[in-house]
Amino acid sequence: MGKPSKRQQAYRKVVADLEPGSVTEAVSILKGLDEKLPKGIEPPKGDQSVEIAVRLGVDPKHADQIVRGSIVLPHGIGKSQRVLVFCKEQNVDKALEAGADFAGGKELADKVKDGWLEFDVAIATPDMMGVVGPLGRVLGPRGLMPSPKAGTVTQDVTTAVTEYKAGKVEFRVDDAGIVHCLVGKMSFGETQLTENIEALLKLIQQLRPQAAKGVYVRSVTVSGTQTPGVPIVAA
């Protein structure tokens, strides 16, 4: 790895000795990082995404300890997601009327099979899973495979599309036992980010697997696309 930039070094000095604080305190520190940059060091350009990382006391190698879910955050995520719906006949019109960017059947599956991936969310009606199933090798590694547990395999395409266009996000614990999830943009107000994070943490707590032993939420950090993580008290 290359040497950290002067900006990254400055950020790290600010967060190096921080003790985990409340969500409100962590968000305030995160949004204030640029104000603490030394003179002559420019802040990042653009509106950074904000993400939380939650390290859980689970073993994802066991199916009964996989934590996954989806949520419509109170204030959205600050960007419009491109939604694709695999469906037939009248559901195509319903999906497009609800705001889907793409809707169709086998012709869309063939495009994806050929490498087309210009979408952020894939939804499918149950009667399309015979066509969508073989796309698992393409969509699975990218987190785009429709799933009943995530609510992306459904007959109610109108509701599904509306929710994802409104900022619904999915999450799943990774192989290291960590949940990463987008919670907004740096331009959001502190209250907006705080409420989004608290809603997500509450849901993760509710999803604790019965098979999980000991401490469930081990650490939580919030970070911007170009910032180090700011610790939050793991409750």
Side-chain angles (χ1 to χ4, degrees):
M1 294 179 63
K3 183 179 179 181
S5 67
K6 290 182 179 180
R7 184 170 63 216
Q8 286 297 324
Q9 291 180 53
Y11 282 156
R12 291 178 186 180
K13 283 184 180 179
V14 175
V15 304
D17 299 319
L18 288 178
E19 292 293 328
S22 68
V23 175
T24 301
E25 291 168 339
V27 166
S28 179
I29 291 170
L30 178 69
K31 286 181 63 67
L33 283 176
D34 288 344
E35 297 174 4
K36 297 183 181 299
L37 288 173
K39 188 175 180 180
I41 298 180
E42 294 292 324
K45 295 181 180 179
D47 191 6
Q48 297 181 62
S49 294
V50 177
E51 178 184 280
I52 67 166
V54 186
R55 187 166 66 90
L56 301 176
V58 298
D59 185 351
K61 293 179 182 178
H62 299 284
D64 61 354
Q65 294 190 47
I66 292 176
V67 177
R68 68 178 301 171
S70 58
I71 183 173
V72 179
L73 294 170
H75 303 286
I77 56 174
K79 74 171 186 176
S80 177
Q81 301 187 93
R82 298 166 297 175
V83 177
L84 175 151
V85 182
F86 294 105
C87 57
K88 297 178 182 178
E89 301 165 355
Q90 70 271 19
N91 280 322
V92 173
D93 291 334
K94 289 181 180 179
L96 293 174
E97 288 173 5
D101 299 272
F102 313 98
K106 188 175 182 300
E107 73 281 4
L108 279 182
D110 289 340
K111 283 184 67 175
V112 172
K113 191 181 298 182
D114 291 338
W116 178 73
L117 292 166
E118 300 299 317
F119 52 93
D120 305 301
V121 178
I123 296 167
T125 52
D127 59 357
M128 286 300 298
M129 289 311 293
V131 173
V132 177
L135 300 178
R137 291 183 180 179
V138 178
L139 299 179
R142 295 169 174 81
L144 294 172
M145 187 65 184
S147 161
K149 289 185 178 180
T152 45
V153 175
T154 176
Q155 193 62 41
D156 188 356
V157 296
T158 298
T159 297
V161 171
T162 301
E163 288 181 342
Y164 277 97
K165 295 301 281 188
K168 186 175 185 178
V169 290
E170 296 178 40
F171 57 89
R172 178 188 171 105
V173 66
D174 64 17
D175 291 342
I178 301 172
V179 168
H180 297 273
C181 191
L182 187 67
V183 291
K185 292 284 190 176
M186 199 70 83
S187 59
F188 280 23
E190 291 185 15
T191 299
Q192 291 176 304
L193 282 174
T194 296
E195 292 179 353
N196 276 1
I197 293 170
E198 289 177 342
L200 181 61
L201 291 176
K202 181 179 179 180
L203 176 59
I204 291 174
Q205 285 282 8
Q206 293 172 348
L207 294 174
R208 175 176 181 148
Q210 290 186 347
K213 305 298 182 184
V215 178
Y216 176 50
V217 178
R218 298 189 172 179
S219 67
V220 183
T221 60
V222 59
S223 63
T225 308
Q226 300 184 54
T227 76
V230 178
I232 294 171
V233 172

PDB file of all heavy atoms in Angstrom, residues 160-181:
ATOM      1  N   ALA A 160     -42.495  -3.179  -4.169  1.00  0.00           N
ATOM      2  CA  ALA A 160     -41.050  -3.414  -4.154  1.00  0.00           C
ATOM      3  C   ALA A 160     -40.295  -2.309  -4.886  1.00  0.00           C
ATOM      4  O   ALA A 160     -39.300  -1.771  -4.384  1.00  0.00           O
ATOM      5  CB  ALA A 160     -40.728  -4.770  -4.779  1.00  0.00           C
ATOM      6  N   VAL A 161     -40.789  -1.943  -6.057  1.00  0.00           N
ATOM      7  CA  VAL A 161     -40.116  -0.888  -6.830  1.00  0.00           C
ATOM      8  C   VAL A 161     -40.198   0.437  -6.086  1.00  0.00           C
ATOM      9  O   VAL A 161     -39.204   1.167  -5.966  1.00  0.00           O
ATOM     10  CB  VAL A 161     -40.745  -0.757  -8.230  1.00  0.00           C
ATOM     11  CG1 VAL A 161     -40.199   0.492  -8.937  1.00  0.00           C
ATOM     12  CG2 VAL A 161     -40.453  -1.999  -9.069  1.00  0.00           C
ATOM     13  N   THR A 162     -41.372   0.762  -5.562  1.00  0.00           N
ATOM     14  CA  THR A 162     -41.558   2.031  -4.845  1.00  0.00           C
ATOM     15  C   THR A 162     -40.608   2.141  -3.669  1.00  0.00           C
ATOM     16  O   THR A 162     -39.999   3.196  -3.434  1.00  0.00           O
ATOM     17  CB  THR A 162     -43.018   2.153  -4.357  1.00  0.00           C
ATOM     18  OG1 THR A 162     -43.904   2.093  -5.482  1.00  0.00           O
ATOM     19  CG2 THR A 162     -43.222   3.463  -3.621  1.00  0.00           C
ATOM     20  N   GLU A 163     -40.452   1.042  -2.911  1.00  0.00           N
ATOM     21  CA  GLU A 163     -39.570   1.065  -1.740  1.00  0.00           C
ATOM     22  C   GLU A 163     -38.109   1.270  -2.141  1.00  0.00           C
ATOM     23  O   GLU A 163     -37.396   2.070  -1.516  1.00  0.00           O
ATOM     24  CB  GLU A 163     -39.722  -0.229  -0.946  1.00  0.00           C
ATOM     25  CG  GLU A 163     -41.036  -0.325  -0.188  1.00  0.00           C
ATOM     26  CD  GLU A 163     -41.163  -1.597   0.621  1.00  0.00           C
ATOM     27  OE1 GLU A 163     -40.408  -2.564   0.358  1.00  0.00           O
ATOM     28  OE2 GLU A 163     -42.022  -1.636   1.526  1.00  0.00           O
ATOM     29  N   TYR A 164     -37.656   0.564  -3.159  1.00  0.00           N
ATOM     30  CA  TYR A 164     -36.253   0.707  -3.545  1.00  0.00           C
ATOM     31  C   TYR A 164     -35.973   2.060  -4.183  1.00  0.00           C
ATOM     32  O   TYR A 164     -34.897   2.637  -3.988  1.00  0.00           O
ATOM     33  CB  TYR A 164     -35.822  -0.435  -4.474  1.00  0.00           C
ATOM     34  CG  TYR A 164     -35.452  -1.676  -3.696  1.00  0.00           C
ATOM     35  CD1 TYR A 164     -36.352  -2.702  -3.518  1.00  0.00           C
ATOM     36  CD2 TYR A 164     -34.201  -1.784  -3.087  1.00  0.00           C
ATOM     37  CE1 TYR A 164     -36.029  -3.828  -2.762  1.00  0.00           C
ATOM     38  CE2 TYR A 164     -33.862  -2.895  -2.335  1.00  0.00           C
ATOM     39  CZ  TYR A 164     -34.782  -3.915  -2.177  1.00  0.00           C
ATOM     40  OH  TYR A 164     -34.458  -5.014  -1.413  1.00  0.00           O
ATOM     41  N   LYS A 165     -36.917   2.607  -4.895  1.00  0.00           N
ATOM     42  CA  LYS A 165     -36.720   3.952  -5.444  1.00  0.00           C
ATOM     43  C   LYS A 165     -36.724   4.991  -4.330  1.00  0.00           C
ATOM     44  O   LYS A 165     -36.140   6.074  -4.477  1.00  0.00           O
ATOM     45  CB  LYS A 165     -37.809   4.276  -6.474  1.00  0.00           C
ATOM     46  CG  LYS A 165     -37.782   3.413  -7.716  1.00  0.00           C
ATOM     47  CD  LYS A 165     -36.471   3.481  -8.488  1.00  0.00           C
ATOM     48  CE  LYS A 165     -36.362   4.722  -9.329  1.00  0.00           C
ATOM     49  NZ  LYS A 165     -35.167   4.699 -10.226  1.00  0.00           N
ATOM     50  N   ALA A 166     -37.370   4.657  -3.197  1.00  0.00           N
ATOM     51  CA  ALA A 166     -37.420   5.584  -2.055  1.00  0.00           C
ATOM     52  C   ALA A 166     -36.186   5.470  -1.162  1.00  0.00           C
ATOM     53  O   ALA A 166     -36.035   6.230  -0.208  1.00  0.00           O
ATOM     54  CB  ALA A 166     -38.674   5.311  -1.227  1.00  0.00           C
ATOM     55  N   GLY A 167     -35.307   4.507  -1.455  1.00  0.00           N
ATOM     56  CA  GLY A 167     -34.078   4.409  -0.676  1.00  0.00           C
ATOM     57  C   GLY A 167     -33.953   3.158   0.164  1.00  0.00           C
ATOM     58  O   GLY A 167     -33.178   3.128   1.120  1.00  0.00           O
ATOM     59  N   LYS A 168     -34.701   2.125  -0.143  1.00  0.00           N
ATOM     60  CA  LYS A 168     -34.562   0.872   0.592  1.00  0.00           C
ATOM     61  C   LYS A 168     -33.179   0.284   0.330  1.00  0.00           C
ATOM     62  O   LYS A 168     -32.670   0.320  -0.785  1.00  0.00           O
ATOM     63  CB  LYS A 168     -35.633  -0.130   0.133  1.00  0.00           C
ATOM     64  CG  LYS A 168     -35.676  -1.415   0.930  1.00  0.00           C
ATOM     65  CD  LYS A 168     -36.844  -2.298   0.472  1.00  0.00           C
ATOM     66  CE  LYS A 168     -36.992  -3.533   1.322  1.00  0.00           C
ATOM     67  NZ  LYS A 168     -38.151  -4.358   0.912  1.00  0.00           N
ATOM     68  N   VAL A 169     -32.551  -0.229   1.384  1.00  0.00           N
ATOM     69  CA  VAL A 169     -31.225  -0.827   1.236  1.00  0.00           C
ATOM     70  C   VAL A 169     -31.237  -2.255   1.785  1.00  0.00           C
ATOM     71  O   VAL A 169     -31.992  -2.579   2.698  1.00  0.00           O
ATOM     72  CB  VAL A 169     -30.122  -0.016   1.962  1.00  0.00           C
ATOM     73  CG1 VAL A 169     -29.872   1.294   1.257  1.00  0.00           C
ATOM     74  CG2 VAL A 169     -30.488   0.224   3.426  1.00  0.00           C
ATOM     75  N   GLU A 170     -30.390  -3.097   1.213  1.00  0.00           N
ATOM     76  CA  GLU A 170     -30.227  -4.466   1.676  1.00  0.00           C
ATOM     77  C   GLU A 170     -28.873  -4.597   2.360  1.00  0.00           C
ATOM     78  O   GLU A 170     -27.938  -3.853   2.060  1.00  0.00           O
ATOM     79  CB  GLU A 170     -30.277  -5.450   0.505  1.00  0.00           C
ATOM     80  CG  GLU A 170     -31.593  -5.506  -0.229  1.00  0.00           C
ATOM     81  CD  GLU A 170     -31.523  -6.471  -1.408  1.00  0.00           C
ATOM     82  OE1 GLU A 170     -30.908  -7.551  -1.269  1.00  0.00           O
ATOM     83  OE2 GLU A 170     -32.061  -6.126  -2.469  1.00  0.00           O
ATOM     84  N   PHE A 171     -28.752  -5.540   3.270  1.00  0.00           N
ATOM     85  CA  PHE A 171     -27.460  -5.811   3.901  1.00  0.00           C
ATOM     86  C   PHE A 171     -27.360  -7.299   4.203  1.00  0.00           C
ATOM     87  O   PHE A 171     -28.369  -7.989   4.368  1.00  0.00           O
ATOM     88  CB  PHE A 171     -27.279  -4.989   5.183  1.00  0.00           C
ATOM     89  CG  PHE A 171     -28.368  -5.200   6.204  1.00  0.00           C
ATOM     90  CD1 PHE A 171     -28.276  -6.209   7.163  1.00  0.00           C
ATOM     91  CD2 PHE A 171     -29.504  -4.389   6.214  1.00  0.00           C
ATOM     92  CE1 PHE A 171     -29.273  -6.407   8.105  1.00  0.00           C
ATOM     93  CE2 PHE A 171     -30.518  -4.584   7.157  1.00  0.00           C
ATOM     94  CZ  PHE A 171     -30.396  -5.595   8.101  1.00  0.00           C
ATOM     95  N   ARG A 172     -26.142  -7.760   4.276  1.00  0.00           N
ATOM     96  CA  ARG A 172     -25.876  -9.168   4.594  1.00  0.00           C
ATOM     97  C   ARG A 172     -24.502  -9.252   5.229  1.00  0.00           C
ATOM     98  O   ARG A 172     -23.545  -8.625   4.750  1.00  0.00           O
ATOM     99  CB  ARG A 172     -25.921 -10.015   3.320  1.00  0.00           C
ATOM    100  CG  ARG A 172     -25.598 -11.504   3.552  1.00  0.00           C
ATOM    101  CD  ARG A 172     -25.465 -12.221   2.224  1.00  0.00           C
ATOM    102  NE  ARG A 172     -24.953 -13.576   2.402  1.00  0.00           N
ATOM    103  CZ  ARG A 172     -25.678 -14.679   2.304  1.00  0.00           C
ATOM    104  NH1 ARG A 172     -26.961 -14.592   2.016  1.00  0.00           N
ATOM    105  NH2 ARG A 172     -25.134 -15.869   2.469  1.00  0.00           N
ATOM    106  N   VAL A 173     -24.381 -10.021   6.303  1.00  0.00           N
ATOM    107  CA  VAL A 173     -23.096 -10.167   6.970  1.00  0.00           C
ATOM    108  C   VAL A 173     -22.103 -10.818   6.014  1.00  0.00           C
ATOM    109  O   VAL A 173     -22.446 -11.736   5.263  1.00  0.00           O
ATOM    110  CB  VAL A 173     -23.250 -11.002   8.266  1.00  0.00           C
ATOM    111  CG1 VAL A 173     -23.647 -12.443   7.966  1.00  0.00           C
ATOM    112  CG2 VAL A 173     -22.001 -10.949   9.109  1.00  0.00           C
ATOM    113  N   ASP A 174     -20.856 -10.312   5.992  1.00  0.00           N
ATOM    114  CA  ASP A 174     -19.855 -10.891   5.091  1.00  0.00           C
ATOM    115  C   ASP A 174     -19.114 -12.038   5.780  1.00  0.00           C
ATOM    116  O   ASP A 174     -19.414 -12.394   6.925  1.00  0.00           O
ATOM    117  CB  ASP A 174     -18.888  -9.819   4.576  1.00  0.00           C
ATOM    118  CG  ASP A 174     -18.034  -9.182   5.670  1.00  0.00           C
ATOM    119  OD1 ASP A 174     -17.926  -9.759   6.778  1.00  0.00           O
ATOM    120  OD2 ASP A 174     -17.446  -8.108   5.416  1.00  0.00           O
ATOM    121  N   ASP A 175     -18.134 -12.601   5.089  1.00  0.00           N
ATOM    122  CA  ASP A 175     -17.425 -13.770   5.616  1.00  0.00           C
ATOM    123  C   ASP A 175     -16.657 -13.465   6.894  1.00  0.00           C
ATOM    124  O   ASP A 175     -16.316 -14.379   7.656  1.00  0.00           O
ATOM    125  CB  ASP A 175     -16.463 -14.321   4.556  1.00  0.00           C
ATOM    126  CG  ASP A 175     -17.199 -14.955   3.380  1.00  0.00           C
ATOM    127  OD1 ASP A 175     -18.397 -15.263   3.536  1.00  0.00           O
ATOM    128  OD2 ASP A 175     -16.578 -15.128   2.313  1.00  0.00           O
ATOM    129  N   ALA A 176     -16.370 -12.184   7.135  1.00  0.00           N
ATOM    130  CA  ALA A 176     -15.630 -11.794   8.340  1.00  0.00           C
ATOM    131  C   ALA A 176     -16.572 -11.458   9.502  1.00  0.00           C
ATOM    132  O   ALA A 176     -16.122 -11.044  10.568  1.00  0.00           O
ATOM    133  CB  ALA A 176     -14.734 -10.599   8.044  1.00  0.00           C
ATOM    134  N   GLY A 177     -17.882 -11.618   9.287  1.00  0.00           N
ATOM    135  CA  GLY A 177     -18.836 -11.322  10.349  1.00  0.00           C
ATOM    136  C   GLY A 177     -19.192  -9.850  10.458  1.00  0.00           C
ATOM    137  O   GLY A 177     -19.618  -9.390  11.513  1.00  0.00           O
ATOM    138  N   ILE A 178     -19.034  -9.105   9.372  1.00  0.00           N
ATOM    139  CA  ILE A 178     -19.284  -7.664   9.393  1.00  0.00           C
ATOM    140  C   ILE A 178     -20.418  -7.306   8.434  1.00  0.00           C
ATOM    141  O   ILE A 178     -20.463  -7.792   7.301  1.00  0.00           O
ATOM    142  CB  ILE A 178     -18.019  -6.868   9.010  1.00  0.00           C
ATOM    143  CG1 ILE A 178     -16.870  -7.194   9.975  1.00  0.00           C
ATOM    144  CG2 ILE A 178     -18.292  -5.360   9.006  1.00  0.00           C
ATOM    145  CD1 ILE A 178     -15.536  -6.610   9.560  1.00  0.00           C
ATOM    146  N   VAL A 179     -21.320  -6.462   8.904  1.00  0.00           N
ATOM    147  CA  VAL A 179     -22.381  -5.911   8.056  1.00  0.00           C
ATOM    148  C   VAL A 179     -21.961  -4.522   7.622  1.00  0.00           C
ATOM    149  O   VAL A 179     -21.652  -3.666   8.458  1.00  0.00           O
ATOM    150  CB  VAL A 179     -23.727  -5.829   8.813  1.00  0.00           C
ATOM    151  CG1 VAL A 179     -24.730  -4.988   8.024  1.00  0.00           C
ATOM    152  CG2 VAL A 179     -24.294  -7.218   9.058  1.00  0.00           C
ATOM    153  N   HIS A 180     -21.904  -4.295   6.321  1.00  0.00           N
ATOM    154  CA  HIS A 180     -21.631  -2.967   5.765  1.00  0.00           C
ATOM    155  C   HIS A 180     -22.921  -2.462   5.129  1.00  0.00           C
ATOM    156  O   HIS A 180     -23.584  -3.197   4.406  1.00  0.00           O
ATOM    157  CB  HIS A 180     -20.542  -3.024   4.687  1.00  0.00           C
ATOM    158  CG  HIS A 180     -19.209  -3.483   5.179  1.00  0.00           C
ATOM    159  ND1 HIS A 180     -18.279  -2.616   5.715  1.00  0.00           N
ATOM    160  CD2 HIS A 180     -18.660  -4.728   5.239  1.00  0.00           C
ATOM    161  CE1 HIS A 180     -17.195  -3.309   6.063  1.00  0.00           C
ATOM    162  NE2 HIS A 180     -17.407  -4.586   5.790  1.00  0.00           N
ATOM    163  N   CYS A 181     -23.278  -1.221   5.393  1.00  0.00           N
ATOM    164  CA  CYS A 181     -24.514  -0.706   4.802  1.00  0.00           C
ATOM    165  C   CYS A 181     -24.451   0.808   4.618  1.00  0.00           C
ATOM    166  O   CYS A 181     -24.007   1.539   5.514  1.00  0.00           O
ATOM    167  CB  CYS A 181     -25.710  -1.064   5.676  1.00  0.00           C
ATOM    168  SG  CYS A 181     -27.310  -0.753   4.868  1.00  0.00           S
TER     169      CYS A 181
END
